[in-house]
Amino acid sequence: MAAAGYTNPLRDARDRRIPRVPDPCALVVFGVTGDLARKKLLPAVYDLANRGLLPPGFALLGFSRRDWGDADFSQLAMESAQKGARTPWRDGVWERLAASIRFVPGAFDDDEAFDTLQQTLIELEDSHGIHGNAAFYLSIPPPAFPTVLKQMQRTGLADSGDRGWRRVVVEKPFGHDLASSRDLNQLVDSVFTADDVFRIDHYLGKETVQNLLAMRFANTLFEPIWNANFVDSVQITMAEDVGIGSRAGFYDGAGAARDVLQNHLLQLLALTAMEEPVSFDADSLRIEKVKVLGAISLPSDLHAYAVRGQYEAGWLAGERAIGYLEESDVPADSTTETYAAVRLGVETRRWGGVPFYLRTGKRLPRRVTEIAVTFKRAPHLPFPVTDTQELGRNQLVVRVQPDEGVTMRFGSKVPGTAMEVRDVSMDFLYGEAFTESSPEAYERLILDVLLGDATLFPRNLEVEASWRVLDPLEAFWVGSQPERYRAGTWGPAGSDAMLRRDGRAWRRP
Ligand SMILES: NC(=O)c1ccc[n+]([C@@H]2O[C@H](COP(=O)([O-])OP(=O)(O)OC[C@H]3O[C@@H](n4cnc5c(N)ncnc54)[C@H](OP(=O)(O)O)[C@@H]3O)[C@@H](O)[C@H]2O)c1
């Protein structure tokens, strides 16, 4: 029998052995020939089918400006799935999925194509019994959003009628500043109701990010020390070893702060610093995240505590890497940053005075995303100073990717006759602790969209609160030159100087 106080009869007592499968529905992907659809979305749909998580009445619709029929789209989906799927290839699964595939050719300003799409969905009610349920994934360039949303409004695609549901999935970037994000939110909210809008920040679909919440709120161990009394500082890093590849058109003019800091890093900060939600549902999480995002402060001295950089040619993993200005389609005089670092504060009783250092960059030595919480030193050490020379600070590192897991660093006695204390690490590795492999972030998020579970999707107020942090930073950087750093190094010297000024140093993951 459960101990008193440990059961909540109001909570959903779902049997976890029975997987949650969505209602019969259609998933419509706009921009299905694009990079995201081919690399992530189509493989994720196959993986969901392979795991038996799609309903029997499921239809996959592609919309794109190609003179294609269903068979051509089916071929693209098969190739994408074979290349990118996480689960093994099974002909039977594919054949069932392929039978549900439809393609609607057209450009976004083509009224007739949208009428055909509407008609196709009506036909799928008879053939697949989708009951009017449909999710529309906007995997399209951001400037196309207004056109597509207006087409959906005009044709009634956004209206579920009185039978099913209609949902829309919006990819980042959610605008390029507060004003444009508000415009975008208003536009989306004028076509869909707020509960039917799913903004994707794929970091929230990652197991390790969700584990941060499990770690904090399912244990008694961490929460009592998760505050300014015990925490010295927090570092949140998202480092990439790749350059911008063929994304210059999107990246140049946007830069690292808009591309990563505004969304992924601030979401990670919010989950690290927020108070416990009353329950693990979309509204309760949103309330806490908005509160903490609203409490973020920028340093008064941005010259000292905000750094932007741009990579120059260098060497990475034994290979020569070209500089940002040499990348194709990047203007020779571009001042776009490929590295951004900033010190933020969280003005709450829990976090007052604790610096949160955020950094992200391209062409850094390795691909790694982690949250490192460093604790204060013990107020007193009853050992001779010489015995604790190699004792650092306690640290808890949540590795989001790769090598997903958690590492705890603490002091331990070195074997021998002296009382020498040195740092050791205790490691939890996802791959070793669990036999099931983690689903891809997009797999989890697409399933949640079809289930109507918005827990892992940032809401408009969160997005706006994040832009409120970023706008003054971007304004401060306007007209300035980014500091150069060599590809294959850990970013510009100014970023190291920023932490040195505080008597700290960046971790070298
Ligand atoms: N790629 C990623 O890893 C990634 C990551 C995070 C977020 N995102 C976001 O996801 C969205 C899609 O990104 P992406 O990289 O897949 O872009 P992409 O490769 O440029 O693909 C864009 C898609 O939209 C279609 N399209 C563009 N204009 C059209 C029009 N007027 N009419 C009909 N179709 C049109 C393109 O069709 P054509 O093939 O005919 O040009 C293509 O299928 C963007 O909002 C991006 O910011 C992407």
Side-chain angles (χ1 to χ4, degrees), residues 252-412:
D252 195 68
R258 286 193 175 96
D259 189 35
V260 175
L261 209 148
Q262 183 272 336
N263 36 72
H264 305 324
L265 293 192
L266 286 181
Q267 281 290 327
L268 292 182
L269 185 155
L271 296 176
T272 307
M274 73 183 200
E275 296 299 319
E276 182 176 288
V278 289
S279 82
F280 193 63
D281 61 49
D283 284 340
S284 309
L285 246 85
R286 174 183 48 81
I287 288 168
E288 298 307 333
K289 282 201 280 173
V290 168
K291 274 201 315 212
V292 77
L293 288 167
I296 291 178
S297 66
L298 281 166
S300 51
D301 185 3
L302 281 172
H303 283 284
Y305 291 108
V307 176
R308 62 200 288 262
Q310 190 185 72
Y311 62 81
E312 299 180 313
W315 290 86
L316 228 143
E319 284 185 22
R320 200 183 125 72
I322 58 170
Y324 180 72
L325 298 181
E326 300 159 66
E327 301 276 10
S328 58
D329 301 328
V330 171
D333 57 352
S334 171
T335 59
T336 299
E337 84 277 357
T338 58
Y339 179 100
V342 63
R343 186 183 84 176
L344 300 176
V346 177
E347 305 306 323
T348 61
R349 173 169 287 232
R350 188 197 273 259
W351 293 114
V354 177
F356 284 73
Y357 300 103
L358 272 52
R359 66 174 160 169
T360 180
K362 289 192 181 293
R363 286 284 188 226
L364 301 185
R366 51 179 298 228
R367 169 177 167 262
V368 60
T369 302
E370 62 166 42
I371 302 159
V373 180
T374 305
F375 294 90
K376 292 184 174 170
R377 280 189 195 285
H380 168 72
L381 292 171
F383 311 106
V385 178
T386 47
D387 286 352
T388 53
Q389 268 169 348
E390 291 190 50
L391 177 67
R393 290 167 193 259
N394 295 162
Q395 201 169 53
L396 188 85
V397 182
V398 177
R399 289 189 308 278
V400 175
Q401 69 180 19
D403 307 329
E404 291 84 350
V406 181
T407 298
M408 188 128 82
R409 190 178 75 187
F410 53 94
S412 181

Side-chain angles (χ1 to χ4, degrees), residues 149-150 153 158 184-193:
L149 285 164
K150 281 178 190 144
Q153 195 169 35
L184 177 64
N185 282 336
Q186 264 168 17
L187 177 71
V188 178
D189 289 349
S190 69
V191 181
F192 286 89
T193 50

Side-chain angles (χ1 to χ4, degrees), residues 96-158:
R96 269 194 305 281
L97 188 61
S100 78
I101 280 182
R102 300 284 183 278
F103 183 76
V104 176
F108 297 148
D109 55 1
D110 178 352
D111 289 357
E112 213 176 297
F114 278 80
D115 294 338
T116 308
L117 178 59
Q118 172 75 305
Q119 193 52 42
T120 309
L121 281 171
I122 293 168
E123 284 161 20
L124 284 168
E125 303 211 358
D126 289 335
S127 60
H128 285 64
I130 61 166
H131 303 301
N133 298 328
F136 300 92
Y137 203 120
L138 305 187
S139 183
I140 59 175
F145 281 12
T147 314
V148 172
L149 285 164
K150 281 178 190 144
Q151 287 283 21
M152 292 172 77
Q153 195 169 35
R154 182 188 64 78
T155 47
L157 277 166

Side-chain angles (χ1 to χ4, degrees), residues 31-37 64-66 106-108 138-142 145 171-173 250 442:
V32 83
T33 49
D35 184 68
L36 181 72
S64 203
R65 51 183 172 186
R66 292 280 193 285
F108 297 148
L138 305 187
S139 183
I140 59 175
F145 281 12
E171 269 287 348
K172 67 157 206 163
F250 159 73
Y442 277 99

